[in-house]
């Protein structure tokens, strides 16, 4: 929430589809603006692609799991990749040619995630034959990282820190409100409210659902060692039977499909803005006149997301790695503009959403937390560490870091001058600020 509050304050002051990389340019001193924008943008792009990968690849795994409930279907890495490709294509088609129905799908997504998930949690609690006690739910420690687990090789605190990944990953993507701010009315207030609301609602509903599932576990050993491969599926089968489990798994699949759809929407908008400002080839800076969609960046997002999941063909921890990459990439891109605003407060002109005296303490906590998770999520989560269980997060993040820095010093610093509005600011600061001010007055 500290990161979200820091971001909300920035997006209120600078609502733009470019999001973090544009904020970095606006908040940094002029001589460092282009460099800050370049680094932030590439980390944000990595995170955006990895989030789409994590959501849609996770959906492919859930579809495979659901298919095993009452059939003889046997999931393989190849089959899961095939399902994953089909999911990405469905998302890309809707984002390319169905822009006019995105608002309808957004409304249906809200209903599914609120009413649907709430109904699932209540139904599980009401139907469960027996319930675990509070002591089991809140004080049982389960390692689950191998034999021996990391709680033995390292410490229980290390396992707990690794366990934060899924929660932290779930609370990503709240910069989507910023990426869609140029398509939003009264963006300087509605965009930061979107950031805060998305975090708060996700946390509350997620916590409620987790408690419902944990209290409804019938046999803990059977649940964690389930043949379905997904403990949640085992809980649903134990509570509702196979047919009921399929119904509720279908509800979950629909929710995750919507998440993947709008992740690609946000991803494509960020890439469109990045190409508009010269960081990506100008070829991708195009909105289709007929369908009113940046079709080229939509399919670029789909392609890169597919490529990022290919290591799953030879890795048993591909999903965990994808979520780590997404979390680190996005949070670094969130943290850079927050850090810049903390270091150079004089250049941070606040918008309607203003934390006032709490602004700097919130920013400091946010930056420290991002630094912590960046380190912890690169570490191995399964023991022993082999070619199958290696956490390749550090590789992907390292490639982006080295690539972004290397390309900047070798080439980009000679031609990349930052977001378009930042360039105009450098060339004529008073003119641009007057135009922006007048534009706000007209609105």
């Amino acid at each position: 929430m500290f990161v979200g509050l820091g971001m909300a304050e920035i997006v209120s002051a600078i609502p733009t589809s470019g999001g973090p990389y544009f904020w970095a340019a606006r908040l940094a001193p002029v001589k460092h603006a282009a460099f800050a924008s370049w680094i932030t943008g590439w980390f944000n792009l990595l995170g955006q692609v990895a989030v789409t990968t994590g959501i849609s690849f996770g959906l492919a795994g859930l579809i495979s799991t659901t298919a095993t409930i009452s059939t003889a279907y046997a999931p393989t890495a190849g089959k899961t990749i095939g399902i994953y490709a089909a999911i990405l294509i469905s998302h890309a088609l809707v984002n390319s040619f169905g822009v006019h129905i995105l608002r309808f799908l957004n409304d249906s997504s809200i209903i599914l995630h609120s009413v649907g998930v709430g109904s699932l949690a209540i139904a599980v609690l009401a139907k469960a034959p027996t319930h675990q006690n509070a002591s089991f739910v809140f004080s049982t420690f389960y390692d689950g990282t191998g034999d021996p687990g990391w709680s033995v090789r390292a410490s229980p605190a290390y396992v707990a820190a690794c366990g934060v990944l899924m929660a932290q990953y779930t609370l990503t993507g709240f910069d989507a409100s910023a990426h869609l701010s140029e398509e939003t009315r009264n963006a300087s207030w509605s965009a930061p409210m979107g950031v805060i609301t998305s975090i708060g609602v996700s946390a509350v509903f997620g916590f409620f659902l987790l408690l419902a599932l944990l209290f409804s576990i019938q046999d803990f050993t059977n649940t964690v060692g389930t043949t379905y491969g997904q403990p949640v599926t085992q809980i649903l089968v134990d509570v509702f039977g196979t047919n009921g489990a399929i119904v509720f798994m279908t509800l979950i699949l629909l929710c995750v499909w919507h998440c993947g759809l709008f992740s690609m929407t946000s991803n494509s908008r960020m890439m469109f803005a990045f190409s508009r400002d010269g960081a990506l080839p100008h070829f991708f800076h195009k909105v289709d006149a007929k369908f009113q969609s940046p079709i080229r960046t939509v399919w670029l997002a789909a392609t890169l997301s597919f490529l990022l999941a290919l290591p799953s063909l030879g890795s048993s921890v591909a999903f965990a790695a994808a979520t780590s990459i997404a979390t680190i990439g996005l949070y670094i891109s969130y943290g850079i503009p927050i850090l810049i605003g903390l270091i150079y407060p004089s250049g941070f002109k606040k918008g309607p959403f203003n934390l006032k005296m709490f602004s700097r303490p919130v920013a400091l906590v946010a930056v420290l937390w991002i630094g912590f998770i960046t380190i912890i999520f690169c570490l191995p989560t399964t023991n022993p560490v082999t070619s199958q269980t290696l956490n390749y997060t550090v590789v992907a993040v390292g490639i982006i870091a080295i690539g972004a820095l290397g390309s900047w010093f070798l080439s980009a610093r000679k031609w990349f001058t930052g977001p378009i509005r930042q360039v105009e600011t450098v060339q004529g600061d008073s003119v641009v600020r007057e135009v922006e001010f007048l534009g706000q007055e007209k609105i």
Side-chain angles (χ1 to χ4, degrees):
M1 183 58 81
F2 281 91
V3 179
L5 287 169
M7 177 188 290
E9 192 172 41
I10 294 175
V11 71
S12 177
I14 316 171
T16 172
S17 63
Y21 85 89
F22 190 90
W23 305 334
R26 285 289 296 271
L27 294 172
V30 173
K31 64 179 180 178
H32 301 308
F35 175 70
S37 176
W38 178 264
I39 298 299
T40 305
W42 280 107
F43 272 109
N44 190 248
L45 188 148
L46 170 68
Q48 291 275 349
V49 171
V51 162
T52 302
T53 300
I55 295 172
S56 298
F57 187 74
L59 175 58
L62 289 174
I63 291 174
S64 295
T65 298
T66 305
T68 65
I69 293 178
S70 59
T71 71
Y73 178 80
T76 64
K79 291 177 182 177
T80 302
I81 278 288
I83 297 171
Y84 173 58
I87 292 168
L88 288 177
I89 290 172
S90 71
H91 290 157
L93 288 173
V94 173
N95 273 295
S96 296
F97 310 116
V99 174
H100 60 287
I101 66 171
L102 284 178
R103 177 173 296 181
F104 167 77
L105 290 173
N106 183 58
D107 293 339
S108 66
S109 177
I110 293 173
I111 294 172
L112 284 169
H113 281 83
S114 55
V115 178
V117 173
S119 299
L120 169 59
I122 294 172
V124 168
L125 286 172
K127 183 68 174 176
T130 61
H131 295 95
Q132 299 290 344
N133 56 42
S135 176
F136 167 81
V137 172
F138 294 106
S139 63
T140 300
F141 178 82
Y142 174 70
D143 189 318
T145 59
D147 186 18
W150 283 110
S151 62
V152 176
R153 290 198 61 187
S155 73
Y158 176 75
V159 176
C162 290
V164 172
L165 171 59
M166 286 297 103
Q168 195 72 64
Y169 168 70
T170 303
L171 297 174
T172 57
F174 45 84
D175 59 325
S177 296
H179 293 304
L180 296 174
S181 60
E182 292 183 12
E183 305 170 40
T184 306
R185 293 181 180 179
N186 192 24
S188 60
W189 181 254
S190 58
M193 285 298 99
V195 171
I196 300 302
T197 302
S198 64
I199 297 173
V201 171
S202 296
V204 171
F205 274 89
F207 186 66
F208 178 47
L209 179 59
L210 282 176
L211 287 181
L213 292 170
L214 290 172
F215 275 109
S216 300
I217 292 175
Q218 301 303 297
D219 184 323
F220 181 73
T221 302
N222 188 44
T223 298
V224 297
T226 177
T227 56
Y228 296 121
Q230 295 282 355
V232 171
T233 304
Q234 186 65 57
I235 294 172
L236 296 180
V237 170
D238 290 342
V239 172
F240 299 110
T242 56
N243 291 335
I246 291 174
V247 171
F248 281 105
M249 284 298 293
T250 301
L251 171 63
I252 294 172
L253 296 179
L254 288 172
C255 289
V256 180
W257 185 87
H258 278 78
C259 287
L261 173 70
F262 289 106
S263 173
M264 186 174 290
T265 304
S266 176
N267 194 346
S268 63
R269 270 41 173 197
M270 182 272 163
M271 291 180 175
F272 174 81
F274 215 28
S275 62
R276 175 189 63 193
D277 297 326
L280 289 176
H282 190 71
F283 171 81
F284 295 108
H285 180 223
K286 179 177 175 59
V287 175
D288 185 84
K290 180 179 179 180
F291 296 103
Q292 296 299 301
S293 170
I295 293 179
R296 293 176 180 177
T297 54
V298 167
W299 289 93
L300 174 62
T303 301
L304 293 178
S305 296
F306 179 76
L307 294 176
L308 189 58
L310 288 181
S312 67
L313 294 173
S315 173
S316 60
V317 294
F319 177 72
T323 55
S324 294
I325 294 168
T327 305
I328 291 173
L330 285 180
Y331 273 92
I332 287 178
S333 72
Y334 300 163
I336 292 176
I338 294 175
L339 178 61
I340 293 173
L342 182 64
I343 296 174
Y344 303 103
S346 60
F348 189 0
K349 308 303 180 184
K350 306 294 178 64
F353 185 90
N354 189 342
L355 297 176
K356 300 185 182 302
M357 62 180 293
F358 297 104
S359 179
R360 290 176 64 77
V362 166
L364 178 61
V365 172
V367 170
L368 291 175
W369 176 252
I370 291 170
F372 170 74
I373 64 173
T374 297
I375 296 171
I376 204 70
F377 293 163
C378 285
L379 301 177
T381 57
T382 302
N383 185 53
V385 179
T386 67
S387 60
Q388 284 286 314
T389 61
L390 176 69
N391 184 351
Y392 61 86
T393 299
V394 68
V395 177
V397 174
I399 288 174
I400 287 295
I402 294 172
L405 288 170
S407 60
W408 171 259
F409 288 108
L410 292 176
S411 175
R413 64 187 178 87
K414 302 174 183 177
W415 52 265
F416 182 74
T417 50
I420 289 175
R421 293 183 189 177
Q422 179 67 25
V423 177
E424 294 173 345
T425 298
V426 174
Q427 294 175 343
D429 184 75
S430 60
V431 174
V432 171
R433 292 189 184 280
E434 182 180 359
V435 170
E436 290 180 342
F437 175 76
L438 290 175
Q440 292 172 355
E441 288 295 310
K442 289 180 181 178
I443 293 173

